[in-house]
Amino acid sequence: MKKIKSIFIFILICVAGYFTYNFYTIFFEKNTNFESESIFLKIPSNSSFSQILDSLSNYLVDIETFEKAAKRKKYSKNIKAGRFLINSGDNNNDIVNSLRSSNIPLNLTFNNIETLSELAGKVSKKIEADSVSIMDAFTNKKFLNELSLTNESVFSLFIPNTYQFFWNTNATDFRERIVKEFDSFWNQTRINKIKEINLNPVEVMVLASIVQKETPKVDERPTIAGVYLNRLEKNMKLQADPTVVYSIKQRDGFDKVIRRVLYKDLRIKSSFNTYYIKGLPPAPIVTPDISSIEAVINYSKNPFIFFVADVSNPGYHLFSRTLSEHNKKKRQYTRWLKERNIKR
């Protein structure tokens, strides 16, 4: 009997040891197979468990033990889309826990973008939504009508900044976040200020985009904004060269480099060409950064109507009250262009 009992205990120990080892192997043994410190695994919406296994197969030592761990922890029936961190040296338990509950957001930054399609393309490289769905979301007729926007003016909603998004953000959620950020930026204090200059938020965004393209110098932008507001008040055409450049790019392609605006360009029949139309264009010619928006909101009151590039102080301009004064200052710029043979 003692011998049988000893054999029985030995068998129990072996079985327990087997299950303990098996349990450890499935859940707690290191199972990563990549050299970097960590990787991000992106799981698309509506992914199947087999797709998850395919995605992980290049990163794990033993995909079968992961499959067993995932099924025992019921992850295989509760897959979530997102962007998940897997660290080198993680075991299956760590990996499943991460995939189950640690969707990590990413930073999305956009600035200096000239069209909605360009923006949709750049955003689609950062989140799950593709560029077509983003375009469709922002040009949806019901959405545009609710906000009293057009296919063009909807571009005014984008305030350049760095935002956090989950990778699995769809086009509608992205649109809702952009609208929320726009509404948050345009608080009552800012609204009250722009009422004094008879502009609404969309119009401010349009004018700010022109100001931004006129000068890279943040300290000069309020002065430029003041000049344009003076022209609007006098019912003059804005005659902003950046809008001519934009019109040329609309016609010839946005990859075109334009260093000089020619007299023939001023006659381009475009709703964005402020030498051709009176008032503001229908949409921003670039996503204006916050400094440009604030430059319009808090513009510098001045008596100037004209300005021209100051070749002695790159990036800045010379301002004038009258056309004759302006033409005198303009000569230094045209001479500078000729000396450098800049024809386009």
Side-chain angles (χ1 to χ4, degrees):
M1 289 296 293
K2 287 183 179 180
K3 187 175 181 180
I4 294 173
K5 186 175 181 181
S6 297
I7 293 172
F8 180 72
I9 292 173
F10 176 75
I11 292 172
L12 283 178
I13 292 172
C14 289
V15 170
Y18 170 78
F19 280 107
T20 300
Y21 175 76
N22 191 50
F23 183 83
Y24 175 83
T25 301
I26 291 173
F27 287 100
F28 298 110
E29 189 170 69
K30 173 186 173 182
N31 196 27
T32 55
N33 186 31
F34 48 85
E35 294 181 358
S36 58
E37 291 185 4
S38 60
I39 62 163
F40 280 105
L41 182 71
K42 295 176 181 176
I43 299 179
S45 300
N46 303 313
S47 292
S48 67
F49 185 51
S50 62
Q51 289 173 318
I52 306 300
L53 296 178
D54 287 340
S55 299
L56 280 169
S57 60
N58 293 327
Y59 301 113
L60 301 186
V61 175
D62 190 339
I63 194 67
E64 291 182 3
T65 59
F66 171 79
E67 182 177 1
K68 291 176 182 177
K71 287 181 177 179
R72 291 190 187 184
K73 290 174 74 70
K74 299 182 180 180
Y75 168 73
S76 59
K77 301 295 184 181
N78 188 29
I79 295 168
K80 296 180 180 178
R83 174 175 173 263
F84 304 93
L85 181 69
I86 299 175
N87 294 306
S88 178
D90 277 355
N91 55 49
N92 289 329
N93 191 60
D94 296 327
I95 297 169
V96 173
N97 287 343
S98 177
L99 298 181
R100 193 165 57 180
S101 59
S102 299
N103 187 6
I104 297 176
L106 51 80
N107 289 331
L108 193 160
T109 301
F110 55 83
N111 53 40
N112 201 35
I113 294 175
E114 295 179 307
T115 66
L116 180 60
S117 60
E118 180 191 359
L119 188 142
K122 290 192 174 184
V123 171
S124 68
K125 294 177 182 178
K126 297 286 287 185
I127 63 174
E128 185 179 9
D130 60 33
S131 59
V132 174
S133 64
I134 294 172
M135 286 291 294
D136 288 345
F138 281 96
T139 56
N140 177 274
K141 288 184 179 180
K142 182 180 178 181
F143 166 74
L144 294 175
N145 290 337
E146 287 176 353
L147 273 66
S148 299
L149 296 170
T150 66
N151 282 357
E152 292 176 316
S153 62
V154 71
F155 194 46
S156 306
L157 292 176
F158 296 93
I159 298 177
N161 212 331
T162 297
Y163 304 98
Q164 276 202 336
F165 283 91
F166 288 111
W167 174 80
N168 55 308
T169 300
N170 61 38
T172 301
D173 289 342
F174 174 72
R175 183 186 70 189
E176 290 179 359
R177 174 68 182 282
I178 291 300
V179 173
K180 180 180 178 181
E181 294 292 341
F182 182 86
D183 291 341
S184 176
F185 179 83
W186 287 106
N187 56 37
Q188 198 57 51
T189 300
R190 289 189 173 105
I191 293 294
N192 290 339
K193 281 189 175 183
I194 65 175
K195 281 181 179 178
E196 297 176 6
I197 53 177
N198 297 315
L199 295 180
N200 60 44
V202 170
E203 291 169 330
V204 172
M205 296 295 288
V206 174
L207 184 54
S209 73
I210 298 173
V211 170
Q212 178 160 317
K213 281 293 187 178
E214 280 288 9
T215 177
K217 304 299 184 181
V218 174
D219 60 324
E220 191 185 59
R221 286 175 179 172
T223 305
I224 297 285
V227 173
Y228 281 133
L229 288 168
N230 287 343
R231 292 181 186 178
L232 288 173
E233 187 178 3
K234 292 179 179 294
N235 203 30
M236 295 173 60
K237 289 182 178 179
L238 284 184
Q239 296 186 331
D241 285 1
T243 66
V244 182
V245 172
Y246 189 87
S247 300
I248 297 170
K249 288 185 173 184
Q250 267 192 320
R251 183 191 64 193
D252 300 340
F254 280 88
D255 58 345
K256 189 177 182 69
V257 177
I258 301 164
R259 299 178 62 196
R260 182 176 184 178
V261 172
L262 307 177
Y263 284 112
K264 67 177 182 179
D265 299 328
L266 308 184
R267 299 190 294 272
I268 295 175
K269 295 181 179 180
S270 167
S271 60
F272 283 86
N273 180 5
T274 55
Y275 282 84
Y276 176 72
I277 64 156
K278 184 174 283 188
L280 293 164
I285 59 174
V286 72
T287 47
D289 61 35
I290 292 176
S291 70
S292 297
I293 301 169
E294 293 289 358
V296 175
I297 298 172
N298 302 291
Y299 71 98
S300 173
K301 294 182 180 180
N302 60 68
F304 304 124
I305 302 296
F306 305 99
F307 58 90
V308 65
D310 182 357
V311 298
S312 66
N313 195 7
Y316 287 95
H317 295 79
L318 300 173
F319 296 88
S320 302
R321 294 176 175 83
T322 66
L323 182 59
S324 60
E325 182 185 353
H326 170 67
N327 286 335
K328 290 178 182 178
K329 294 176 180 178
K330 185 179 176 181
R331 292 188 191 114
Q332 49 91 40
Y333 179 60
T334 54
R335 184 167 57 249
W336 182 86
L337 291 173
K338 288 179 180 179
E339 288 172 353
R340 285 155 183 76
N341 198 31
I342 299 175
K343 297 180 179 179
R344 172 58 88 190

